[in-house]
Amino acid sequence: MYDAALVIMDIVVFSFWGWCLYRFCGSFLVLRRLGRRSGDSVPDGKSFLKNGWPMWCFWTVWKWLASLLTETDYNTLHLLLQTVIVYGALFLFLRIFYEGRRGALLFSFVTFVAVSEISRFLAHAVLALGSHLFDLTDYMLLEGRITNLEAYLYFVKIFSCLIQVIMNLVFMMILRGTLRRVSAGFGSIRQGFERAELKFLLLPGCTAVMFCALLRIILVTVEDQIPQTLYEKYPPLMAVVPLLLILCLCSVLYSVRLFCRLRDLHEERNRRLILEKQLEAMEEHLRETERIYAGVRAMKHDMRNQLAVVTEMAGRFGAEAELQGCLTQLNQTLSKLDFPCSTGSAVLDTLVAIKYHEMREKVPGILFQAENLLIPSGLKIRPMDLSLILGNGLDNAIEACERVAADPWIRVSTMMREAFFLLEIANSFDGKLNVSPGREFPETLKEDTKLHGIGLASIRETAGKYCGGVDWHGEDGVFTLTVMLRAHEM
């Protein structure tokens, strides 16, 4: 019965361990499916039937098989090799059958291993403390309260089972509580990690794993074929080692908390920069409106004089040539207020006029095509949101065309696809894209590094308001940005 109880206890612990693996790694990874690019989906970690059952089944079965094959010869090399094989198989399983954002696999795996090992050794400290229960059994035997060997062995098994139950409960509580705090801090990783961020997050976990590996080497020694724990040899370590393990656990938790706070501050700064950019766009609209109004007033004054001249020449015989020249000049005056295109939206017409003058100043000789930039009537997308998307997209296109040696061009078009409105901005570029690991969009070459990716991030945030998305690709000297928006607000 004692052996059966231990087997059942192991199965329960391994099953709970697998459940913790599914709940934790399922927050960062999704089950791989054929025909889907890595990182396309954002994991939610909630659906066990769709995402978590392979993790749970694999870890439960694999740990149970590993426990059957584990040798208890206390050989340091064997213990380390067994640990490497167990966790190495887990890494290969996750790498083959699951996918996620860049760095998510490595972070979730290292953190899971670190927390599992720390929890195991903290629970082992409870086992060392529980060994004093056996001293009670020896005392009862010496006092004559236990009169035979069978009763003695019975109490030993009872105390062993009790210690195992307490140890496993401590292990499960620490494991579940820590992994839950880490995954709750992240929620889900919608953006990949940058290289520096990944190093910052992995450092505490790797340190904890190496410390636990050191404990596996020195915790149990064999003298005269009798195993002896480090706690028995050096009793003060009963307090020092658990304290170091708790510090390692806290370093993992606080590194995640600090990272999440820094990322929140970074997103808040980006939102502030996006608002500043929107204010600048509104100021440009106001300046353009003032320019047009001033032009109208000047034209009104000029047209009065020119109409007076035309009226006078119309009454004179033989003034046809002069009249024709005056009318030509009047037509040129009117053309100064023409917009480069007619989109069907006054707000976008003004914006395109602003960007058209800007691109002609920055990139002389640029070819701008916007004949297909048409806004359908009745479109339930706010004009200011469309102008924000188009303005940021044109800013990036103009910046790219400034680096093109010959024949720069920009082409803007729109189309409707069922319930979705598509805006496409294509432009020539020098063929160089700077895409950092973990970033969703290529970086610009602005001198102010704080503005890197702000325009595209603003486009993505605005598209998200309409259940849309952003896609880009660049090849053969052509960069294309496509923004998809639902044609009505949700």
Side-chain angles (χ1 to χ4, degrees):
M1 183 178 294
Y2 172 75
D3 294 336
L6 292 181
V7 171
I8 294 174
M9 197 181 306
D10 287 341
I11 294 175
V12 171
V13 171
F14 296 151
S15 180
F16 181 83
W17 204 344
W19 181 77
C20 290
L21 171 67
Y22 135 68
R23 294 292 295 178
F24 179 68
C25 291
S27 298
F28 305 96
L29 308 173
V30 290
L31 194 63
R32 189 182 297 275
R33 293 184 178 89
L34 296 178
R36 184 177 63 193
R37 295 181 300 175
S38 178
D40 285 349
S41 299
V42 178
D44 56 12
K46 302 300 182 184
S47 177
F48 177 74
L49 293 177
K50 292 182 179 180
N51 190 39
W53 68 267
M55 284 188 198
W56 178 81
C57 291
F58 169 80
W59 188 247
T60 303
V61 175
W62 175 238
K63 279 297 297 178
W64 180 67
L65 291 176
S67 66
L68 296 179
L69 300 175
T70 300
E71 299 180 3
T72 56
D73 57 357
Y74 301 104
N75 185 290
T76 299
L77 182 60
H78 289 172
L79 291 174
L80 289 177
L81 185 60
Q82 290 167 5
T83 305
V84 170
I85 291 175
V86 169
Y87 288 115
L90 173 62
F91 180 80
L92 290 177
F93 177 82
L94 295 178
R95 183 68 180 86
I96 294 172
F97 295 102
Y98 284 83
E99 62 182 356
R101 296 293 187 185
R102 294 179 181 178
L105 172 63
L106 194 58
F107 167 75
S108 58
F109 171 75
V110 170
T111 303
F112 176 77
V113 173
V115 175
S116 297
E117 289 293 286
I118 292 174
S119 303
R120 271 309 228 189
F121 279 103
L122 283 174
H124 190 272
V126 175
L127 178 63
L129 289 172
S131 62
H132 295 293
L133 288 174
F134 297 108
D135 296 337
L136 176 61
T137 308
D138 296 337
Y139 173 78
M140 292 172 64
L141 182 63
L142 293 175
E143 290 292 323
R145 298 186 181 183
I146 299 178
T147 58
N148 54 61
L149 183 60
E150 291 182 1
Y152 176 79
L153 293 177
Y154 175 79
F155 279 104
V156 168
K157 289 181 178 181
I158 290 294
F159 289 148
S160 298
C161 190
L162 180 62
I163 293 172
Q164 288 289 334
V165 170
I166 296 174
M167 183 182 70
N168 288 327
L169 287 176
V170 170
F171 165 73
M172 291 189 293
M173 290 175 59
I174 296 174
L175 178 70
R176 176 58 183 152
T178 305
L179 293 180
R180 185 177 180 180
R181 285 179 176 272
V182 174
S183 58
F186 276 107
S188 61
I189 299 182
R190 296 184 178 272
Q191 299 178 4
F193 293 125
E194 295 184 15
R195 186 172 300 175
E197 294 174 341
L198 187 59
K199 291 178 180 178
F200 175 78
L201 287 171
L202 290 180
L203 185 59
C206 291
T207 303
V209 170
M210 295 306 297
F211 178 64
C212 291
L214 176 64
L215 288 181
R216 286 191 181 275
I217 295 174
I218 65 174
L219 190 60
V220 179
T221 58
V222 179
E223 296 181 1
D224 299 328
Q225 298 183 347
I226 299 176
Q228 185 179 19
T229 65
L230 196 65
Y231 300 136
E232 295 172 345
K233 195 172 183 179
Y234 303 101
L237 292 180
M238 284 287 296
V240 175
V241 172
L243 180 60
L244 290 175
L245 290 169
I246 292 173
L247 289 176
C248 289
L249 203 62
C250 291
S251 67
V252 173
L253 288 172
Y254 280 99
S255 65
V256 171
R257 179 178 296 182
L258 179 60
F259 171 80
C260 292
R261 287 184 178 179
L262 291 175
R263 175 163 282 191
D264 290 341
L265 289 174
H266 179 71
E267 292 178 354
E268 183 64 29
R269 187 201 66 181
N270 286 346
R271 283 193 289 268
R272 179 176 57 82
L273 292 174
I274 289 172
L275 289 175
E276 291 177 358
K277 227 175 146 46
Q278 291 175 350
L279 289 175
E280 291 177 1
M282 292 177 64
E283 289 176 357
E284 288 183 1
H285 276 277
L286 291 174
R287 285 194 294 267
E288 181 67 13
T289 303
E290 290 177 356
R291 185 186 72 81
I292 294 173
Y293 181 65
V296 170
R297 286 189 302 174
M299 189 195 324
K300 182 179 179 182
H301 179 269
D302 293 342
M303 285 182 65
R304 283 178 179 175
N305 296 330
Q306 291 177 358
L307 286 175
V309 173
V310 169
T311 302
E312 190 273 332
M313 285 189 296
R316 276 193 293 125
F317 181 76
E320 292 82 358
E322 294 181 12
L323 180 60
Q324 184 67 32
C326 187
L327 291 174
T328 301
Q329 183 179 358
L330 182 61
N331 186 54
Q332 291 176 351
T333 302
L334 289 172
S335 65
K336 291 180 180 179
L337 297 179
D338 286 345
F339 289 103
C341 65
S342 178
T343 65
S345 169
V347 175
L348 291 188
D349 289 345
T350 305
L351 173 67
V352 173
I354 295 172
K355 298 304 177 183
Y356 181 70
H357 292 303
E358 180 181 338
M359 69 179 67
R360 287 177 66 92
E361 292 178 2
K362 293 183 177 181
V363 191
I366 189 172
L367 175 62
F368 179 65
Q369 298 175 328
E371 295 83 5
N372 295 323
L373 178 57
L374 301 173
I375 307 301
S377 59
L379 187 68
K380 297 299 180 61
I381 299 176
R382 294 175 57 195
M384 287 307 298
D385 289 333
L386 283 176
S387 66
L388 177 64
I389 294 173
L390 182 60
N392 284 310
L394 287 176
D395 285 340
N396 291 334
I398 294 171
E399 181 184 340
C401 288
E402 288 184 85
R403 301 191 298 271
V404 176
D407 300 327
W409 57 270
I410 297 176
R411 182 176 65 250
V412 186
S413 61
T414 58
M415 66 182 70
M416 286 293 299
R417 291 284 180 85
E418 296 180 356
F420 291 94
F421 176 75
L422 300 178
L423 171 64
E424 182 180 277
I425 303 175
N427 59 271
S428 58
F429 78 111
D430 58 4
K432 300 177 182 178
L433 290 176
N434 185 18
V435 184
S436 300
R439 284 191 175 272
E440 185 177 0
F441 300 112
E443 294 182 1
T444 64
L445 298 179
K446 296 182 177 72
E447 293 182 1
D448 189 355
T449 56
K450 294 188 299 182
L451 299 178
H452 283 183
I454 292 298
L456 291 173
S458 176
I459 293 175
R460 181 190 60 206
E461 183 175 335
T462 305
K465 292 167 56 178
Y466 298 91
C467 302
V470 182
D471 187 29
W472 64 270
H473 66 273
E475 57 183 2
D476 300 329
V478 178
F479 184 88
T480 305
L481 176 70
T482 304
V483 183
M484 181 181 69
L485 308 170
R486 188 176 286 274
H488 56 85
E489 292 188 62
M490 298 298 290

